[in-house]
Amino acid sequence: MTETPRQTAAERELTRRRVVVAGGATAVTATAVALGAGLASAQGVPAGKGVHGPGNLPSGTPSGTPSGTPEACYVLTTETTEGPYYIDADKLRQDVTEDEEGIPLTLRLKVIDAETCRPVRNAAVDIWHCSALGLYSGYEAMGNGSGGGGGTPPSGEPTGVPTGPPPTGGPGGPGGHQEPTDDERYLRGTWKTDRHGYVTFRTVFPGWYRGRCVHIHVKVHVDGTWTDAGYEGGHTCHTGQLFFDEESVLLSAEVDPYSTNTAPRTTLDEDGIYPDNGAEGGLLWLRYKKRDIGRGVHAELTMGVAPDETNDSN
């Protein structure tokens, strides 16, 4: 990548907040790209909710930046609420499935410095999400919002940083951290980015619960140390959520065990936490067989972070 001249503070701020595409400053509206016979991402999605290729730019290849295309600079990926059900770096692993049933999901994330566009190496990336039936491990007693222990569904707009006492509503709503109610840890894990900033997890396509659209929680930790005991020290530079387009969710809902989930489903448009800004807000780029999504889904996203900042959302 060509080295750029030293920037002023104002220029750096501008770079952080805009996507600058090599060869021009034209805004790019990413649309779904068919990848081979029978492969499909969500199509016909409204502007702002389109499926974006790796790196938040349209691409005809399933991994990395297209050959011959210089890497672009990125907007900062939107910070969102942590939610009440985070468990700190409890399982160092890439395969978080355990024995959970569901559509196989390969999640590949790339973490880059939004200002320099350089990969963030050896960062600790946490993911956690609910099961196909809307349950969070560690918090099964809370139910999935369909009536069994879920209480009143969460309401109101997120404030960005949870405050006050823990919520009484279903999983994921605004509010403070909840203490775990059990020892289960399925669909949770932490792993480190490689020298190119990539990290890959194997999990299942998340289900849904009352009050929230389908999503995955994510945190990025930097400046810590990897030891035999795990990841220690450092700080959290990004707390966000990853989202799925409506077409893929509707297709998943036809597959067992998702088809048995009776909790009311909130769409992406109805969700109070999705920031409605596409890949910048965590909307994943998906690849799957449209006529047989049950065989598996590949999801990718490049996340632009500010490594020197702290965004732990608590």
Side-chain angles (χ1 to χ4, degrees):
M1 184 171 66
T2 302
E3 185 172 348
T4 57
R6 185 178 300 275
Q7 296 174 305
T8 65
E11 289 171 333
R12 286 196 299 271
E13 182 64 17
L14 180 61
T15 301
R16 291 166 69 88
R17 299 185 181 281
R18 298 192 60 184
V19 178
V20 181
V21 180
T26 304
V28 177
T29 301
T31 56
V33 180
L35 301 178
L39 289 178
S41 297
Q43 300 179 24
V45 184
K49 292 187 173 59
V51 179
H52 292 241
N56 303 358
L57 295 173
S59 168
T61 58
S63 62
T65 304
S67 177
T69 302
E71 185 159 6
C73 292
Y74 294 78
V75 292
L76 284 168
T77 301
T78 306
E79 302 292 325
T80 60
T81 181
E82 174 188 285
Y85 301 141
Y86 173 61
I87 299 175
D88 186 21
D90 188 77
K91 292 285 187 180
L92 299 181
R93 57 186 181 178
Q94 290 180 274
D95 190 338
V96 304
T97 309
E98 295 193 13
D99 296 324
E100 285 301 301
E101 295 183 353
I103 298 168
L105 175 68
T106 300
L107 176 65
R108 187 173 188 243
L109 303 172
K110 183 176 184 181
V111 183
I112 67 168
D113 184 320
E115 182 174 347
T116 67
C117 296
R118 294 189 179 95
V120 179
R121 305 176 181 181
N122 294 319
V125 178
D126 294 328
I127 65 164
W128 70 103
H129 63 85
C130 72
S131 68
L133 298 181
L135 296 175
Y136 277 92
S137 64
Y139 300 91
E140 290 184 345
M142 305 303 295
N144 72 346
S146 61
T152 304
S155 60
E157 294 297 319
T159 60
V161 180
T163 58
T168 58
H177 180 72
Q178 293 269 25
E179 290 302 314
T181 62
D182 59 70
D183 294 328
E184 298 291 341
R185 295 295 184 267
Y186 54 82
L187 307 182
R188 297 177 179 274
T190 304
W191 201 248
K192 63 181 176 180
T193 57
D194 64 18
R195 64 191 183 94
H196 300 294
Y198 286 104
V199 62
T200 300
F201 292 97
R202 290 180 294 278
T203 183
V204 298
F205 199 99
W208 61 89
Y209 47 85
R210 183 171 54 181
R212 286 303 317 278
C213 68
V214 175
H215 64 283
I216 294 175
H217 294 267
V218 62
K219 278 181 177 284
V220 179
H221 313 272
V222 295
D223 295 336
T225 302
W226 290 93
T227 68
D228 292 340
Y231 187 79
E232 301 176 358
H235 67 277
T236 304
C237 68
H238 175 66
T239 299
Q241 297 184 25
L242 308 173
F243 299 93
F244 296 78
D245 61 81
E246 191 66 12
E247 182 176 11
S248 65
V249 174
L250 288 173
L251 289 172
S252 74
E254 298 176 2
V255 179
D256 186 68
Y258 304 88
S259 58
T260 66
N261 188 346
T262 60
R265 191 177 67 80
T266 298
T267 67
L268 194 66
D269 282 332
E270 295 167 340
D271 191 74
I273 292 178
Y274 173 58
D276 199 25
N277 55 350
E280 179 186 346
L283 187 63
L284 291 163
W285 184 90
L286 304 178
R287 187 163 55 95
Y288 55 85
K289 286 194 172 183
K290 189 173 181 180
R291 295 185 179 180
D292 191 8
I293 194 173
R295 292 185 60 181
V297 175
H298 292 262
E300 299 189 18
L301 190 71
T302 292
M303 298 189 299
V305 302
D308 295 334
E309 296 180 8
T310 297
N311 293 293
D312 55 13
S313 188
N314 59 27

